[in-house]
Amino acid sequence: MQQSLRVFPSTAEFAPPSVLVEQARIARRKAESASRGLGLTIRGLRKAFGDNEVLRGIDLHIPAGQFVAIVGRSGCGKSTLLRLIAGLETPGDGTISFGESARAEDIRVMFQEPRLLPWARVLDNVEVGLGRNRGLSDANARAEAALAEVGLRDKRAQWPYVLSGGQKQRVALARALVSNPRVLAFDEPLGALDALTRISMQRLLERVWHDQSFTAILVTHDVAEAVALADRVVVIEDGRIAHDVAVDIARPRRRGAADLAALEGTILRHLLSGNDADA
Amino acid sequence: MSVVERLPRVRTVRGSVIGGLVPWLLPIAIIAIWQVACATGYVSARVLPAPSDVLLAAWKSLRSGELQQNIWVSFWRAAVGFLIGGGIGFALGLANGLSQLSDRLTDTTLQMIRNVPHLAMIPLVILWFGIDEAAKLFLVALGVFFPIYLNTLHGIRTVDPQLIEMGRIYGMGRGELFRRVIFPSALPSIFVGLRFALGIMWLTLIVAETIAASSGLGYMAMQAREFMLIDVVVLSILIYALLGKLADSASRALERLTLSWHPAFQK
Ligand SMILES: Nc1ncnc2c1ncn2[C@@H]1O[C@H](COP(=O)(O)OP(=O)(O)O)[C@@H](O)[C@H]1O
Ligand SMILES: [Mg+2]
């Protein structure tokens, strides 16, 4: 579905595809070396909504390019943490600092809902992701390249309503990728998808993260997904980080492998024991 | 997927020439039955003239130029009144949907005025304007104002906040947010208001022209009544129906054109 499609610069339609793919890869590497992932450091982060103290002092350092998964019970503040990182909420206390000065288009979020504009065609939806660079002459070509990246180039002239749930999320991913972000935050982006679509989307996420080497922060309620994708799993409980588990398992990881399952079991036990203590 | 792919085929059958005639079968049948009923004397010509007599009346009126003149006058009143009332309603709907201050300043007042049926204003309007053009324009504008105002406001207030947040995240300024997110999202609701307003526009005009006018279709009908010209009375009623249908078709066409992204408006 996705593996054969890579970036094709639209100016060189007539050259043989294999040459183009290689050129595009080289071009991408060059672009990447200029903008790799961005590390971030969170210190003493607190956030309350009225009397509801959601985050009670989060300390977390995420090195540049790491893939971190954040798990925790529903309502524990995962989305709030992500929204704080993305600058959509203001911290009650504490700081979030990025390795270097970050521009707005360096940090992108993907939500559980695709949030596509129903009245804009797929390609125009992806162009929205360019932020202030929407008006530049290469906007179209960049949006097409991002669509090719998620394997939906042939859908560029469609209205969003004809797409399936998984395809909509892929368009949303292309929109998030098109500005070459250095931090990409995902808030349960696969939560609404069926099992098979989830798995192919997980592979897609892992592939684009590998290709573009941004820093990935994935909020998920699915521990199996967390250990399959992430370098590190952070468990949030009572507004604090309760566990910080490294996933030292080589990629590509085999789904259902024993070491993944064992790690998943450990993290689930952490989550459940926290639950019992509360109850 | 398969359901989605099958849908267009069903629609092409409906979209073919024969399919296009289906909605007209009933009106044609009614006119045919009407003609037969009149020709056989089952319905007296004093109660209802035969369709052929109505056509004849139309022809005579066209020859004298009276019909075109009256249609034009009525159409002009409808259009100008609609543009004034609809324009103000649209502008206030936008303003109150986008600005809290404007909303708090005007919305309560407008909701109060809304509860006065605009046709109840006719005696007052005649006192103010006589049977001048301004009287008709005022009434049409007033009648058209509320459906457009309310539906524009509703459309803007019900924009998905998640989409607005998305727009902000991707760096849209106020103008761009309005153009790319808020306005397109409000458009289906604005069209609902437009269709309502078109209905009210004709209704208001008929009433106003019947009561206080010296030209126009309503006036033509009232004059004909005085001279017992029942065929002309029926003619003017039919023309109102035709103009109403025309306005509705135009707004539907506009809707299909601008809402092609909406699953409910696929050809
Ligand atoms: N904008 C808000 N206003 C008030 N309360 C909020 C708001 N956002 C989140 N909350 C509350 O904060 C808590 C954590 O929410 P959230 O971060 O969405 O949890 P999670 O994503 O882990 O399920 C919940 O109790 C929720 O009700
Ligand atoms: Mg959440």
Side-chain angles (χ1 to χ4, degrees):
Chain A
M1 178 181 62
Q2 334 111 345
Q3 59 273 34
S4 60
L5 281 160
R6 287 288 158 119
V7 185
F8 295 93
S10 62
T11 43
E13 300 265 72
F14 302 108
S18 56
V19 176
L20 279 179
V21 172
E22 210 33 55
Q23 284 175 353
R25 277 204 183 127
I26 293 165
R28 170 175 298 285
R29 294 234 173 83
K30 277 188 193 147
E32 263 165 29
S33 57
S35 80
R36 288 207 176 265
L38 210 54
L40 64 138
T41 307
I42 299 174
R43 284 213 186 85
L45 186 67
R46 291 172 167 274
K47 178 75 187 175
F49 296 104
D51 294 337
N52 183 7
E53 270 193 77
V54 180
L55 300 179
R56 307 173 184 188
I58 298 271
D59 290 288
L60 180 66
H61 172 72
I62 303 176
Q66 193 172 53
F67 198 136
V68 183
I70 298 176
V71 298
R73 283 178 296 143
S74 175
C76 73
K78 304 182 295 289
S79 298
T80 305
L81 177 58
L82 213 65
R83 294 172 60 82
L84 282 161
I85 291 172
L88 299 176
E89 307 271 0
T90 45
D93 197 12
T95 57
I96 301 173
S97 57
F98 295 91
E100 306 154 44
S101 62
R103 297 164 306 154
E105 29 315 4
D106 285 338
I107 300 154
R108 288 296 187 222
V109 206
M110 211 179 134
F111 298 96
Q112 179 164 354
E113 327 78 39
R115 302 197 186 184
L116 302 180
L117 298 174
W119 42 85
R121 296 192 188 264
V122 165
L123 191 69
D124 297 325
N125 263 296
V126 176
E127 268 181 47
V128 165
L130 286 166
R132 284 177 224 296
N133 297 328
R134 267 187 288 277
L136 299 187
S137 57
D138 66 341
N140 230 291
R142 288 180 68 183
E144 288 232 14
L147 262 185
E149 188 85 25
V150 301
L152 284 181
R153 206 173 179 232
D154 56 330
K155 299 278 189 229
R156 61 176 165 320
Q158 299 281 11
W159 296 117
Y161 81 89
V162 304
L163 304 181
S164 69
Q167 289 173 328
K168 283 182 190 154
Q169 275 305 36
R170 273 149 71 193
V171 175
L173 178 61
R175 181 179 63 191
L177 289 174
V178 72
S179 64
N180 290 320
R182 303 175 68 183
V183 177
L184 198 43
F186 303 94
D187 193 356
E188 309 201 21
L190 314 183
L193 304 179
D194 63 90
L196 280 178
T197 314
R198 266 182 96 96
I199 291 176
S200 76
M201 277 296 284
Q202 286 169 4
R203 295 210 173 116
L204 177 61
L205 285 190
E206 192 174 16
R207 204 198 74 219
V208 293
W209 168 73
H210 181 261
D211 285 0
Q212 306 205 5
S213 57
F214 47 79
T215 307
I217 308 171
L218 171 72
V219 163
T220 177
H221 56 249
D222 181 351
V223 179
E225 180 170 286
V227 294
L229 292 176
D231 297 322
R232 173 185 179 193
V233 178
V234 171
V235 181
I236 296 188
E237 247 173 53
D238 299 329
R240 294 192 185 85
I241 292 178
H243 303 278
D244 191 338
V245 184
V247 187
D248 291 321
I249 298 170
R251 297 170 196 268
R253 295 175 184 164
R254 260 190 334 105
R255 220 150 272 287
D259 42 2
L260 284 182
L263 197 59
E264 184 187 342
T266 315
I267 294 171
L268 272 175
R269 266 194 301 284
H270 283 319
L271 279 168
L272 289 173
S273 67
N275 213 359
D276 292 343
D278 255 26
Chain B
M1 227 28 216
S2 67
V3 176
V4 174
E5 277 160 10
R6 226 171 293 138
L7 270 176
R9 235 172 292 154
V10 177
R11 295 193 187 271
T12 42
V13 174
R14 274 212 258 139
S16 69
V17 180
I18 301 166
L21 285 177
V22 169
W24 294 101
L25 286 181
L26 197 58
I28 291 171
I30 289 174
I31 290 176
I33 292 169
W34 173 10
Q35 178 73 40
V36 171
C38 290
T40 56
Y42 187 74
V43 175
S44 155
R46 275 191 321 196
V47 176
L48 195 63
S52 53
D53 292 337
V54 176
L55 266 180
L56 211 63
W59 176 242
K60 272 194 262 171
S61 185
L62 272 173
R63 287 274 302 267
S64 71
E66 214 179 316
L67 187 58
Q68 300 93 304
Q69 178 61 28
N70 283 321
I71 289 180
W72 170 246
V73 168
S74 290
F75 175 80
W76 183 85
R77 285 175 187 151
V80 175
F82 184 89
L83 285 180
I84 296 173
I88 298 174
F90 181 66
L92 268 175
L94 288 187
N96 290 2
L98 297 172
S99 147
Q100 286 240 309
L101 178 68
S102 164
D103 189 50
R104 299 198 44 195
L105 208 62
T106 59
D107 191 58
T108 309
T109 314
L110 290 173
Q111 297 295 346
M112 261 159 31
I113 301 175
R114 183 169 77 103
N115 288 310
V116 180
H118 68 292
L119 292 178
M121 301 274 286
I122 288 181
L124 193 60
V125 169
I126 293 178
L127 282 179
W128 285 346
F129 302 104
I131 58 167
D132 219 16
E133 281 314 300
K136 268 84 71 184
L137 295 185
F138 180 83
L139 280 171
V140 170
L142 190 64
V144 154
F145 170 84
F146 282 103
I148 301 245
Y149 167 71
L150 291 173
N151 286 285
T152 304
L153 184 59
H154 176 258
I156 288 187
R157 282 198 181 149
T158 51
V159 178
D160 184 355
Q162 294 191 333
L163 283 184
I164 295 189
E165 187 181 69
M166 184 281 295
R168 292 237 167 84
I169 294 173
Y170 287 107
M172 290 186 192
R174 286 174 69 91
E176 206 180 2
L177 205 59
F178 177 76
R179 199 161 43 77
R180 295 179 85 126
V181 182
I182 297 173
F183 183 69
S185 169
L187 205 52
S189 178
I190 294 174
F191 270 114
V192 171
L194 183 75
R195 299 260 294 279
F196 260 109
L198 287 175
I200 289 182
M201 172 184 85
W202 289 119
L203 180 78
T204 311
L205 198 61
I206 296 165
V207 174
E209 286 186 342
T210 315
I211 294 169
S214 54
S215 60
L217 286 167
Y219 171 76
M220 182 173 101
M222 283 315 279
Q223 279 248 306
R225 183 196 59 98
E226 271 180 28
F227 297 103
M228 302 293 274
L229 298 171
I230 193 164
D231 47 355
V232 178
V233 173
V234 173
L235 174 66
S236 50
I237 291 172
L238 285 181
I239 290 175
Y240 266 128
L242 217 62
L243 287 177
K245 172 75 187 143
L246 224 60
D248 197 56
S249 301
S251 77
R252 270 172 199 267
L254 199 64
E255 211 170 31
R256 266 201 308 278
L257 203 69
T258 52
L259 300 184
S260 53
W261 53 270
H262 202 293
F265 292 99
Q266 296 315 300
K267 309 134 238 169

